[in-house]
Amino acid sequence: MPKLTKKRSKKSGLAPGAMVHIGEQKIEQTKITIIDYDESQFQVKTPDSCEECFPYKDKPSVSWINIDGIHQPEVIEKIGAAFGLHPLLLEDIMNTDQRPKMEDYDSYLFIVLKMLTINPKDKSVASEQVSLVLGKNFVISFQEDVGDVFDAVRDRIKNNKGRIRKSGADYLAYSLIDAIVDNYFVVLESIGDRVESLEDELVRDPTENTMREIHKLKREMLFLRKSVWPLREVIGSLEKSDSELVKEHTEIYLRDIYDHTIHVIDSIETFRDVLSSMIEIYLSSLSHKMNQVMKTLTIIATIFMPLTFLAGIYGMNFNHIPFADRHWGFYSIWGLSLIIALTMLVYFRVRKWV
Amino acid sequence: MPKLTKKRSKKSGLAPGAMVHIGEQKIEQTKITIIDYDESQFQVKTPDSCEECFPYKDKPSVSWINIDGIHQPEVIEKIGAAFGLHPLLLEDIMNTDQRPKMEDYDSYLFIVLKMLTINPKDKSVASEQVSLVLGKNFVISFQEDVGDVFDAVRDRIKNNKGRIRKSGADYLAYSLIDAIVDNYFVVLESIGDRVESLEDELVRDPTENTMREIHKLKREMLFLRKSVWPLREVIGSLEKSDSELVKEHTEIYLRDIYDHTIHVIDSIETFRDVLSSMIEIYLSSLSHKMNQVMKTLTIIATIFMPLTFLAGIYGMNFNHIPFADRHWGFYSIWGLSLIIALTMLVYFRVRKWV
Amino acid sequence: MPKLTKKRSKKSGLAPGAMVHIGEQKIEQTKITIIDYDESQFQVKTPDSCEECFPYKDKPSVSWINIDGIHQPEVIEKIGAAFGLHPLLLEDIMNTDQRPKMEDYDSYLFIVLKMLTINPKDKSVASEQVSLVLGKNFVISFQEDVGDVFDAVRDRIKNNKGRIRKSGADYLAYSLIDAIVDNYFVVLESIGDRVESLEDELVRDPTENTMREIHKLKREMLFLRKSVWPLREVIGSLEKSDSELVKEHTEIYLRDIYDHTIHVIDSIETFRDVLSSMIEIYLSSLSHKMNQVMKTLTIIATIFMPLTFLAGIYGMNFNHIPFADRHWGFYSIWGLSLIIALTMLVYFRVRKWV
Amino acid sequence: MPKLTKKRSKKSGLAPGAMVHIGEQKIEQTKITIIDYDESQFQVKTPDSCEECFPYKDKPSVSWINIDGIHQPEVIEKIGAAFGLHPLLLEDIMNTDQRPKMEDYDSYLFIVLKMLTINPKDKSVASEQVSLVLGKNFVISFQEDVGDVFDAVRDRIKNNKGRIRKSGADYLAYSLIDAIVDNYFVVLESIGDRVESLEDELVRDPTENTMREIHKLKREMLFLRKSVWPLREVIGSLEKSDSELVKEHTEIYLRDIYDHTIHVIDSIETFRDVLSSMIEIYLSSLSHKMNQVMKTLTIIATIFMPLTFLAGIYGMNFNHIPFADRHWGFYSIWGLSLIIALTMLVYFRVRKWV
Amino acid sequence: MPKLTKKRSKKSGLAPGAMVHIGEQKIEQTKITIIDYDESQFQVKTPDSCEECFPYKDKPSVSWINIDGIHQPEVIEKIGAAFGLHPLLLEDIMNTDQRPKMEDYDSYLFIVLKMLTINPKDKSVASEQVSLVLGKNFVISFQEDVGDVFDAVRDRIKNNKGRIRKSGADYLAYSLIDAIVDNYFVVLESIGDRVESLEDELVRDPTENTMREIHKLKREMLFLRKSVWPLREVIGSLEKSDSELVKEHTEIYLRDIYDHTIHVIDSIETFRDVLSSMIEIYLSSLSHKMNQVMKTLTIIATIFMPLTFLAGIYGMNFNHIPFADRHWGFYSIWGLSLIIALTMLVYFRVRKWV
């Protein structure tokens, strides 16, 4: 299950803008990749030191600087200084316990998103924070770890598919956000499958574990919700932003992501409703099972208690017991017992207990 | 039960505007029907190739081009190119996992709706996506499958009933939306009937299956809600839109559909409340039944346990048992048992258990 | 219980403005009553044909044309034509499955309301749709059936009580709406009484029927809510409307009804909360009763099971049973049983089970 | 428990402005008190007839006319006529079933509030309607009964404490509202104490009565809510009102009451949440108790049923019973029984039932 | 558990602006600390009398006057008079039962906040009210007790870390608020840990105490909510305030706190949802346990009741009992009993009860 809080407390008391990494360190060494392109050319670089990125700030071609690993304050600080980024922004990049948000710093936009992935082993949802800085001719993306959902974007740049090579940095930023949001649908499908298989289990044979799985899924939905709800506002304010960095032409694409985000939110709310309803079914099925058990017990007791009493009566040590000396006495009690038992059973059948 | 998600993941990673059909393929070959009319004339055509539609773009008469089957990207693309439709719009047409929405592309409006139908066999609700493109003199409608709720509209055009032949393309689009929304009332009636019959079952004799049916209905309501809620906004923005494509005269009709949509939403919320209340009744009736079972058991045990003890006492092998040698001994125990049993019954009657 | 839906489906597929009566026909023949008055004179007419109403359209005195029975399209159509009413409005009049609403058609206002009455027999709430058309000098009211809550208004007109004869058509319309809303308080009182008597029953002796009554009341509250919630908006937009038909002077009276509507809504929500809380009490009382039953059973079993075992032990057929030949043997077992039983009872008293 | 509705139905059908007293009559004779003051002088009068108030309308000093008892229409009407009050306002004064509200009649403001008091005997909350009319130099307050929370205000006027004698009628009105709202905190404290004592009871020893007390408190919270929620709007619109009757200088004091009102609302919502949570605890504690009872029963049955069977076996009347003729036979069964019982107990201890 | 209300009633009836301390007195003597600094110098003073603070009002350097202990009206009043603070503001400082709020008094801003701390012993959340007055060159902070979360701020001032020494009083006020909000994350982490450990307990072995702990946490969340929700508005209005006291440059830092506040609120809501879901699990696990107990009972009864009956039958005192004289009679009953018992067990295994 996702942890409820991240150890943000270690930052408590530090000055605003203090560079402290909050979250799990997932990679040893920060890794930088630069993709630089325009309509006519395309090149990829993996520089060893962050200083090699600096010239890309003012190149007229579009540059995508991707940084995997955000735990090294010195790297983040150098890049921040070179690209003129605000200290609070750098602090946010290193703090993976952020709500998705969009901030307009006039000469660049800062966007924080959550990239979700499904752990293939236990189908749990993992989250990675992605921070984007959109400048005039560049996009800097900060990720916690190598491996992401951007391979398709890289492929489109490389092979000059679609309009990405003909468009500016804002379209690149849009493409990255779109890739992240598109992947939410993959996550939703995986969760949807788990919900449906739990529904089946609920109808077939619910166990105590089913309830725990429902609780786990509910908690994952809460987690998803926290990642996706603010996104709506982020994309909405990007779309409506009057920043010159987002060209009018890209706005129609942002509207498209906005619709997708609403769609994801709708689905999350639907899943939550379905899970709530499943808990009610589980509880009612427990009650139902209990009823079955109690009926069995009651039937057994109602049949055998009178019979045992009857046998007990004829086991009393009175000198005179009627018919005790008759040969058919024993058999008649057997017969009587059978009649009583059958009568009871008929009675229960009538009350639909059997 | 409706699936929680559609396999949208196969689109993940593709460029925006990629033409991929999401949803179930319901028809083999795309089928095109053109209805062209003005006040004086009317004609129907079913062309073999989509190229035959193209001239209708600029004809002064109103043209309704209906396309059944949206899984063939090449057809959609050709039509899109001929009518100057945006790639994102074409992508949306092929993706049946859309929220209802309205988009204004200046020279045309794009509207996505859900057409709901009741499966006559199991009374479940099926959904089909209908996309409308409203241009100056034409309406293009995209459906997943042949068969729809528009026959009455076709009939009104053919027989020149009402004002449809005298009005423009916007009135045609209105008529199609109206037909879809009107059909929601049919769907609601069917669901209302199922809810009421479940209510009867709940009062008469609730079983575990009743609970499952309630859950099923709740899930269908969630599904309906996702289809209808956004519609309100769609119609509202159509009505308030300042597009020249919607004439002032048609707005009063859109207000009418708007009212209907609110009405449908009201009914859905009411149904949801009724279903929630039914679950409470079901649970309370389970508890009540359990109480009945337990009372039965307790009555039986309370009567026969003391009696069995009594018989057991007189079955002890002491040499001296009082009255053991009297002739009426055995009968007196019988009598005593009867008295004890009756006393108990009177006691339970007083406590209203019997 | 009120039906969840009305058979609106028979209208599905018809052209907008189609005159189809939706709802139950409650009267055989449409009945028209005209009350015409100004400060100096007053007259009542019950014409046989609707043509007699037409001259009242342009009379300078205030005319109230009341129409009982809305199932005859030809009557509604004739009146509509004479008074210049929009076809969609006429359609709405005949469709009793409307949400309350207010529509401004410039030269007249159209208002749809629900008149609620209590069925004196079973205290259930019945609803009748009232449509008002407010013109310059006239008010036309359409009702489903004869009999209404307007007698007091008629009386005030006849006897020139209050300011009604001195005021215009807008004050008449206000008076009619006021009479309807005032009657909601009567309905609420009746429901309040039923809720309180159920609360008493719940404390005294809840049965399965109590739960069903609560469910019934909850459904009636849903029904009421659907009738009253939209009213708030209706009155609000009437009050804020800049239509010349509503004189400034009448607005203060509309504000008064607005307050009443809010009050009714508040009460409905309070009732709903009380009913929800009552269900919780019912369920807890079921649990409590079950506990009582189970305690009884456990006490009986705990006392008699050991005793029966004891008696059984001394009923074993061993040749040597200690004290079997003593005279006091039988009595000592009786005594021991008594001691065991009393000890148990003391134990249960300590645990507060008895 | 507070009644859910007041008998407002007796007003149904009357003309707007009809003077009918709705509510309980709490006092026999209307009682009038006049306090007139300015910075230099102060006087109190208790006139016998209401005519004596009339001159105070235009006196330059501040006059507070307090009227206890609102059931005599003639008194209210006379005062209304003398001070030029609107008929609808007079109607509202006599109707104690009002929502708190503020109405601006240009030359005076009309404010309706609920004064809450704790019944010292059963700690229940009682409500009294207070209507204030704020004119240029006067405040008229209408109460249902003698006795109120204004004694501190009277004291401050008399002893010239604070700024009240230096300020105008608006400050007097503020002081009265402040006294009423301040008293809400007293009411909340009393309810808070009851909630906390119920919480204790819940942890120590919940009974069926606990549940009923929770329900009672929930209903009282609903009642409080209806009184306090609208107040927020009342004070808010007073503060923001552009009426000349409220001087700028008083607005900061109104903001202060506004904060208090929000605080009261916050507390009410918190109490409601706490009460809801308490119901869950109550239900879970019922379930828990049931578990305990059932465990006891099961332990008893599981121990004695096998033993009784064993004894029964050796009580069978077969001629040949093994070891029946041994001296130690009887004791060995006793021993075996003991071993079985102890084994069972160990088993239950392991499963943590004992 | 935090008390639901503070004894605010002792203030009821007093004039507005009356100086009454509401809350617990936590310190004996008011303690004043003055920190005065600008870019070049820094000094700390702990004056004995409050008069020593007065000169700092108009010094050009930034002064932070911290007052621990707010129960002495005379001290508060003197400071208020010297710094020209409004009486209502002074009243609010002494009343620790305030909602967080921000008030703009033109020449100074007044901010009320709640400082939360975790009691290290029982991990409960304690709250202390902090009032800030932000003037042109000074910040006055009022606290209930010595000890706070501001040590890091003092350290940054002393050691000239970050930009605090270069910035004005508004940045100091921001730093104090930031320290308080930052500490909320520490509180959240502590609560998050408790929630997670309860979740573990719930899965492993829930007891009645688990439920009580959940209730306690729920109440603490309500308490937290009341402290944090209004903060959002406070920071929001500070950020958007057009007061000259907050420089444009500080606004970006306020936006940062605003984001943190939203984050805290999100977490609180998530915790509440998780706790609600935990109650459902607890109830279902109670039901589940009950089922287990009942199954055990039913199995025992179903096996031994028929056997006891069988033994009882052969214990009857008829002269003729079949096979009574056979040597294998007794053993055959034993065998039969074993067969019956095993059959039952197989049956229960099939129904998955064992």
Side-chain angles (χ1 to χ4, degrees), chain D residues 45-248:
Chain D
K45 258 199 208 169
T46 51
D48 289 332
S49 81
C50 61
E51 278 79 7
E52 290 182 47
C53 313
F54 301 169
Y56 290 92
K57 195 192 166 190
D58 298 313
K59 274 189 74 170
S61 56
V62 178
S63 310
W64 170 17
I65 301 163
N66 182 52
I67 289 146
D68 291 326
I70 53 171
H71 55 287
Q72 290 174 293
E74 60 284 5
V75 178
I76 308 292
E77 261 172 351
K78 274 188 206 159
I79 294 175
F83 285 83
L85 307 180
H86 193 281
L88 280 178
L89 183 158
L90 299 178
E91 183 190 359
D92 284 349
I93 288 172
M94 294 196 65
N95 176 358
T96 66
D97 186 28
Q98 289 289 327
R99 276 183 103 229
K101 64 176 173 180
M102 195 283 277
E103 286 178 342
D104 187 344
Y105 287 85
D106 289 336
S107 61
Y108 52 89
L109 298 177
F110 177 55
I111 301 157
V112 180
L113 297 164
K114 297 288 176 183
M115 179 162 70
L116 301 177
T117 43
I118 292 287
N119 184 329
K121 265 176 290 179
D122 61 354
K123 303 286 175 203
S124 67
V125 181
S127 162
E128 189 180 331
Q129 180 161 309
V130 176
S131 310
L132 299 178
V133 176
L134 165 61
K136 203 166 175 323
N137 289 314
F138 63 87
V139 170
I140 318 179
S141 58
F142 297 87
Q143 303 185 36
E144 295 180 53
D145 196 0
V146 292
D148 53 34
V149 299
F150 299 146
D151 285 338
V153 178
R154 287 188 191 94
D155 194 54
R156 292 211 303 274
I157 298 176
K158 194 172 155 196
N159 300 319
N160 198 354
K161 276 195 283 193
R163 27 180 305 176
I164 195 160
R165 286 271 283 273
K166 295 172 207 74
S167 310
D170 59 335
Y171 191 85
L172 173 60
Y174 151 74
S175 299
L176 298 179
I177 300 172
D178 187 50
I180 287 173
V181 173
D182 252 20
N183 198 52
Y184 288 174
F185 287 104
V186 181
V187 170
L188 279 182
E189 271 176 42
S190 159
I191 292 177
D193 288 348
R194 285 166 68 199
V195 171
E196 284 177 350
S197 97
L198 269 180
E199 264 185 321
D200 280 356
E201 205 177 306
L202 211 53
V203 169
R204 274 206 332 275
D205 182 27
T207 64
E208 214 174 0
N209 194 48
T210 317
M211 184 66 196
R212 275 190 211 119
E213 280 298 313
I214 296 174
H215 178 63
K216 225 192 230 163
L217 272 168
K218 274 187 99 174
R219 272 203 47 186
E220 276 181 6
M221 296 323 291
L222 287 176
F223 181 74
L224 265 177
R225 241 180 140 211
K226 271 174 86 173
S227 302
V228 180
W229 262 102
L231 199 60
R232 195 176 126 196
E233 215 182 317
V234 169
I235 314 270
S237 56
L238 251 181
E239 189 196 332
K240 268 155 227 143
S241 133
D242 47 3
S243 165
E244 288 176 12
L245 293 164
V246 180
K247 281 157 215 148
E248 200 185 335

Side-chain angles (χ1 to χ4, degrees), chain A residues 152 156 174 189 196 199 259-260 262-263 266 270 273 277 280-281 288 290-291 294 298 317 319 322, chain B residues 3-4 6 8-9 13 15-16 97 99 101 208 215 219 222 226 279 290 294 314-317 324-325:
Chain A
R156 292 214 299 275
Y174 149 74
E189 271 175 43
E196 285 178 350
E199 265 185 320
D259 282 348
H260 293 179
I262 301 278
H263 197 122
D266 267 15
T270 301
D273 279 350
S277 171
E280 283 168 339
I281 296 191
H288 194 83
M290 177 86 92
N291 262 0
M294 292 311 303
T298 304
N317 290 321
N319 295 352
Chain B
K3 296 289 286 179
L4 285 172
K6 293 197 175 178
R8 192 169 181 151
S9 53
D97 186 27
R99 277 183 103 230
K101 64 175 172 179
E208 215 174 358
H215 177 63
R219 272 202 48 185
L222 288 175
K226 271 174 86 173
I279 289 175
M290 177 86 92
M294 292 312 301
Y314 280 88
M316 293 192 298
N317 291 320
D325 47 356

Side-chain angles (χ1 to χ4, degrees), chain C residues 5 40 64 73-74 134 176 187 205 233 236-237 249 269 276 282:
Chain C
T5 51
S40 56
W64 171 18
E74 61 282 5
L134 165 61
L176 298 179
V187 170
D205 182 28
E233 214 181 317
S237 56
H249 178 259
E269 296 308 313
S276 290
Y282 177 71

Side-chain angles (χ1 to χ4, degrees), chain A residues 110-328:
Chain A
F110 177 54
I111 301 157
V112 180
L113 296 165
K114 298 288 178 184
M115 179 163 70
L116 301 176
T117 43
I118 292 288
N119 183 330
K121 265 176 290 178
D122 62 354
K123 302 287 174 202
S124 67
V125 181
S127 161
E128 190 180 333
Q129 180 162 308
V130 176
S131 310
L132 299 178
V133 176
L134 166 61
K136 202 168 175 325
N137 289 313
F138 62 88
V139 171
I140 317 179
S141 57
F142 297 86
Q143 303 185 37
E144 296 180 53
D145 194 1
V146 292
D148 53 33
V149 298
F150 299 147
D151 284 338
V153 177
R154 288 188 189 94
D155 194 55
R156 292 214 299 275
I157 298 175
K158 194 172 158 196
N159 301 317
N160 198 354
K161 275 195 283 194
R163 26 181 304 173
I164 195 160
R165 287 270 284 274
K166 295 172 206 72
S167 311
D170 59 335
Y171 190 86
L172 173 60
Y174 149 74
S175 298
L176 297 178
I177 301 173
D178 187 51
I180 288 173
V181 173
D182 253 21
N183 197 51
Y184 288 174
F185 288 104
V186 181
V187 170
L188 279 182
E189 271 175 43
S190 159
I191 293 177
D193 288 349
R194 284 166 68 199
V195 171
E196 285 178 350
S197 97
L198 269 180
E199 265 185 320
D200 280 356
E201 205 177 308
L202 211 53
V203 169
R204 272 204 335 274
D205 182 27
T207 65
E208 214 172 0
N209 193 49
T210 317
M211 185 66 196
R212 276 190 211 119
E213 280 298 312
I214 295 174
H215 177 63
K216 224 191 232 166
L217 272 169
K218 274 187 100 174
R219 272 205 46 187
E220 277 181 4
M221 296 324 291
L222 288 174
F223 181 74
L224 265 179
R225 241 181 140 208
K226 270 175 87 174
S227 304
V228 180
W229 261 101
L231 199 60
R232 195 177 124 195
E233 216 180 317
V234 168
I235 314 267
S237 56
L238 252 182
E239 189 195 333
K240 269 156 225 144
S241 134
D242 47 3
S243 165
E244 287 176 13
L245 293 163
V246 180
K247 281 158 216 148
E248 198 185 335
H249 177 258
T250 309
E251 274 167 25
I252 201 165
Y253 288 94
L254 289 170
R255 195 169 68 179
D256 197 53
I257 311 187
Y258 186 82
D259 282 348
H260 293 179
T261 313
I262 301 278
H263 197 122
V264 171
I265 290 172
D266 267 15
S267 296
I268 290 176
E269 296 309 312
T270 301
F271 284 11
R272 276 167 57 92
D273 279 350
V274 170
L275 286 169
S276 291
S277 171
M278 281 164 74
I279 289 176
E280 283 168 339
I281 296 191
Y282 177 70
L283 288 175
S284 85
S285 100
L286 273 188
S287 265
H288 194 83
K289 272 188 183 171
M290 177 86 92
N291 262 0
Q292 292 311 106
V293 173
M294 292 311 303
K295 277 180 188 169
T296 308
L297 176 59
T298 304
I299 290 167
I300 288 291
T302 310
I303 290 174
F304 284 102
M305 278 189 164
L307 298 189
T308 303
F309 166 65
L310 190 69
I313 276 285
Y314 279 88
M316 292 191 298
N317 290 321
F318 285 100
N319 295 352
H320 174 75
I321 294 175
F323 317 117
D325 48 356
R326 307 291 162 92
H327 204 259
W328 45 263

